[in-house]
Amino acid sequence: MLIIAKHTLPTELKSEAVHTKFGVAISRTKSLQVVQYDGDAGYYLIRYSESGTELTDTYHGTLESAFDQAKFEYCIDSTEWSGIRS
């Protein structure tokens, strides 16, 4: 797994999306990573809890699409990410 970019969300941030698992709202997202797995051309936007547990992910065909999803959900501009690799 290659970590493309990371972002820690501010405590006061409110998400535009509610993520659920088996119909139950999951914990508040504290950090995000955009990753790419070996042999996979797409990108995953992964959401993590305060304790670092993976909460959920979404698959994106392009890096731009993953950043766009994070911007929609958390109002994060692509320039706010750290460790960006291309």
PDB file of all heavy atoms in Angstrom, residues 4 6-7 14 43 62 84:
ATOM      1  N   ILE A   4      -0.605   8.075  -0.456  1.00  0.00           N
ATOM      2  CA  ILE A   4      -0.458   9.196  -1.385  1.00  0.00           C
ATOM      3  C   ILE A   4      -0.522  10.524  -0.648  1.00  0.00           C
ATOM      4  O   ILE A   4       0.230  11.453  -0.927  1.00  0.00           O
ATOM      5  CB  ILE A   4      -1.567   9.158  -2.470  1.00  0.00           C
ATOM      6  CG1 ILE A   4      -1.566   7.819  -3.211  1.00  0.00           C
ATOM      7  CG2 ILE A   4      -1.451  10.336  -3.422  1.00  0.00           C
ATOM      8  CD1 ILE A   4      -0.341   7.543  -4.039  1.00  0.00           C
ATOM      9  N   LYS A   6      -2.116  12.525   3.359  1.00  0.00           N
ATOM     10  CA  LYS A   6      -2.731  12.407   4.686  1.00  0.00           C
ATOM     11  C   LYS A   6      -3.297  13.761   5.109  1.00  0.00           C
ATOM     12  O   LYS A   6      -2.791  14.804   4.692  1.00  0.00           O
ATOM     13  CB  LYS A   6      -1.696  12.002   5.726  1.00  0.00           C
ATOM     14  CG  LYS A   6      -1.021  10.704   5.506  1.00  0.00           C
ATOM     15  CD  LYS A   6      -0.154  10.399   6.699  1.00  0.00           C
ATOM     16  CE  LYS A   6       1.273  10.182   6.287  1.00  0.00           C
ATOM     17  NZ  LYS A   6       2.143   9.812   7.381  1.00  0.00           N
ATOM     18  N   HIS A   7      -4.316  13.696   5.966  1.00  0.00           N
ATOM     19  CA  HIS A   7      -4.879  14.934   6.517  1.00  0.00           C
ATOM     20  C   HIS A   7      -5.526  14.621   7.869  1.00  0.00           C
ATOM     21  O   HIS A   7      -6.270  13.654   7.989  1.00  0.00           O
ATOM     22  CB  HIS A   7      -5.927  15.532   5.585  1.00  0.00           C
ATOM     23  CG  HIS A   7      -6.427  16.852   6.025  1.00  0.00           C
ATOM     24  ND1 HIS A   7      -5.715  18.016   5.835  1.00  0.00           N
ATOM     25  CD2 HIS A   7      -7.551  17.206   6.675  1.00  0.00           C
ATOM     26  CE1 HIS A   7      -6.398  19.038   6.323  1.00  0.00           C
ATOM     27  NE2 HIS A   7      -7.513  18.564   6.851  1.00  0.00           N
ATOM     28  N   LYS A  14     -17.286  19.790  11.003  1.00  0.00           N
ATOM     29  CA  LYS A  14     -18.506  19.004  10.812  1.00  0.00           C
ATOM     30  C   LYS A  14     -18.509  18.468   9.387  1.00  0.00           C
ATOM     31  O   LYS A  14     -18.280  19.203   8.442  1.00  0.00           O
ATOM     32  CB  LYS A  14     -19.754  19.858  11.031  1.00  0.00           C
ATOM     33  CG  LYS A  14     -19.815  20.507  12.386  1.00  0.00           C
ATOM     34  CD  LYS A  14     -19.989  19.472  13.475  1.00  0.00           C
ATOM     35  CE  LYS A  14     -20.129  20.157  14.816  1.00  0.00           C
ATOM     36  NZ  LYS A  14     -19.649  19.385  15.906  1.00  0.00           N
ATOM     37  N   TYR A  43      -7.695   4.696  -6.437  1.00  0.00           N
ATOM     38  CA  TYR A  43      -7.288   5.288  -5.162  1.00  0.00           C
ATOM     39  C   TYR A  43      -8.398   5.100  -4.136  1.00  0.00           C
ATOM     40  O   TYR A  43      -9.573   5.138  -4.478  1.00  0.00           O
ATOM     41  CB  TYR A  43      -7.008   6.783  -5.330  1.00  0.00           C
ATOM     42  CG  TYR A  43      -5.910   7.039  -6.337  1.00  0.00           C
ATOM     43  CD1 TYR A  43      -6.206   7.147  -7.698  1.00  0.00           C
ATOM     44  CD2 TYR A  43      -4.595   7.153  -5.938  1.00  0.00           C
ATOM     45  CE1 TYR A  43      -5.194   7.365  -8.629  1.00  0.00           C
ATOM     46  CE2 TYR A  43      -3.577   7.372  -6.861  1.00  0.00           C
ATOM     47  CZ  TYR A  43      -3.886   7.477  -8.200  1.00  0.00           C
ATOM     48  OH  TYR A  43      -2.900   7.687  -9.116  1.00  0.00           O
ATOM     49  N   THR A  62      -9.632   8.082 -10.023  1.00  0.00           N
ATOM     50  CA  THR A  62      -8.535   9.046 -10.190  1.00  0.00           C
ATOM     51  C   THR A  62      -8.201   9.677  -8.841  1.00  0.00           C
ATOM     52  O   THR A  62      -9.041   9.730  -7.936  1.00  0.00           O
ATOM     53  CB  THR A  62      -8.901  10.183 -11.164  1.00  0.00           C
ATOM     54  OG1 THR A  62      -9.951  10.971 -10.591  1.00  0.00           O
ATOM     55  CG2 THR A  62      -9.322   9.649 -12.521  1.00  0.00           C
ATOM     56  N   ILE A  84       1.933  14.615  -0.038  1.00  0.00           N
ATOM     57  CA  ILE A  84       1.349  14.244  -1.327  1.00  0.00           C
ATOM     58  C   ILE A  84       2.414  13.662  -2.252  1.00  0.00           C
ATOM     59  O   ILE A  84       3.455  14.263  -2.482  1.00  0.00           O
ATOM     60  CB  ILE A  84       0.657  15.443  -2.007  1.00  0.00           C
ATOM     61  CG1 ILE A  84      -0.517  15.904  -1.151  1.00  0.00           C
ATOM     62  CG2 ILE A  84       0.202  15.090  -3.407  1.00  0.00           C
ATOM     63  CD1 ILE A  84      -1.242  17.108  -1.705  1.00  0.00           C
TER      64      ILE A  84
END
